[in-house]
Amino acid sequence: MRDAFHEELDQISDKLVEMSRLTGSAMGRATIALLDADLELAESVIEADQAIDQMRRELDDTAVDLLARQQPVATDLRMVVTAMRMSADLERMGDLARHIAKVARLRYPESAIPATLRGTITEMGHAADKIVAQAGSIIAGKDVAAAVALETQDDEMDALHRQVFEHLLGGHWDAGIQAAVDVTLVGRYYERFADHAVSVSRRVVYLVTGEWAQDGVELPGIDAGDDD
């Protein structure tokens, strides 16, 4: 009976990893659609978000069923409850990719991103790809050290987000109000995408250690500055 229970826990973990893969794919394609004004690609991202939403519903249903049938305790209980919260983060990440795709669709056949900011937005897309891929690996391996290190990748996204605002407020913006609004929203979507990935990583830390990771706080036995 317990073997079957732990198989179901493993299946939940596998679904979370798959959700991270789907959200990463969505964000990558949304970035291309945004920069290249690719309407077909934008529409595919918007449509595919339904699959991420459905996966979250299925995962949550499974978790609730396990809570009712197995009444888990200790680490098993943390796994079930934390999985539900991680699925919410990952589902929201999919929503943020969809929002970016909607901006691309709204401004078609033009690109919503002025030439002067294409480099920064491209970098934000790359940062998003890296951070969600790392989040998936952290979920799969329950890697606390990698989870703590993920904060550094979020710092990279925050720095890029600041670059967007520095460009907007630097006194040389000449792309108009509409573009300023689009860029402000898109920058926020990327920044929040990374924040949710960090939230996922912190939940993994809690799952493994029973303690919550906090900004600038190292957990016992974990050196956030260790590259080994």
Side-chain angles (χ1 to χ4, degrees):
M1 189 64 150
R2 299 303 293 176
D3 287 344
F5 171 58
H6 283 101
E7 284 181 9
E8 290 181 281
L9 288 181
D10 289 341
Q11 289 172 8
I12 286 177
S13 181
D14 291 344
K15 284 187 177 181
L16 289 169
V17 174
E18 176 64 8
M19 283 186 74
S20 73
R21 187 193 67 79
L22 291 176
T23 57
S25 174
M27 181 55 86
R29 291 181 294 119
T31 299
I32 295 171
L34 181 71
L35 294 170
D36 295 349
D38 189 326
L39 180 61
E40 183 176 352
L41 192 57
E43 293 284 10
S44 74
V45 173
I46 295 165
E47 178 67 22
D49 187 57
Q50 296 179 21
I52 297 174
D53 293 345
Q54 178 62 27
M55 187 168 288
R56 184 208 170 168
R57 287 191 290 269
E58 292 174 357
L59 192 152
D60 287 356
D61 287 345
T62 299
V64 169
D65 181 61
L66 285 178
L67 287 173
R69 288 190 293 107
Q70 301 290 346
Q71 298 181 349
V73 296
T75 302
D76 290 344
L77 177 60
R78 288 204 303 271
M79 177 62 204
V80 176
V81 174
T82 303
M84 295 174 71
R85 294 180 175 178
M86 285 194 284
S87 73
D89 282 313
L90 291 164
E91 188 266 340
R92 184 58 183 153
M93 290 166 74
D95 288 344
L96 292 162
R98 184 190 67 203
H99 292 338
I100 290 173
K102 284 186 173 181
V103 173
R105 182 176 67 180
L106 182 64
R107 300 306 171 208
Y108 178 82
E110 303 297 327
S111 172
I113 306 302
T116 52
L117 273 175
R118 287 181 65 84
T120 301
I121 296 302
T122 298
E123 288 186 55
M124 294 185 89
H126 290 160
D129 287 343
K130 287 191 297 183
I131 203 168
V132 70
Q134 186 64 21
S137 296
I138 290 166
I139 295 169
K142 307 296 186 293
D143 191 334
V144 173
V148 174
L150 191 69
E151 303 272 353
T152 302
Q153 293 187 31
D154 184 48
D155 291 342
E156 177 185 349
M157 184 68 85
D158 289 341
L160 290 166
H161 192 216
R162 286 193 296 272
Q163 284 183 26
V164 171
F165 280 99
E166 288 168 0
H167 192 85
L168 285 169
L169 302 175
H172 303 291
W173 182 259
D174 59 1
I177 294 175
Q178 176 181 288
V181 171
D182 289 343
V183 167
T184 299
L185 289 174
V186 165
R188 178 61 171 165
Y189 297 151
Y190 281 111
E191 189 263 343
R192 288 299 297 152
F193 185 90
D195 285 348
H196 281 288
V198 170
S199 179
V200 167
S201 72
R202 288 177 175 173
R203 296 189 195 285
V204 171
V205 172
Y206 171 69
L207 169 62
V208 175
T209 69
E211 300 182 45
W212 283 106
Q214 300 178 17
D215 290 329
V217 176
E218 294 180 10
L219 293 170
I222 299 297
D223 182 357
D226 190 352
D227 292 330
D228 294 333

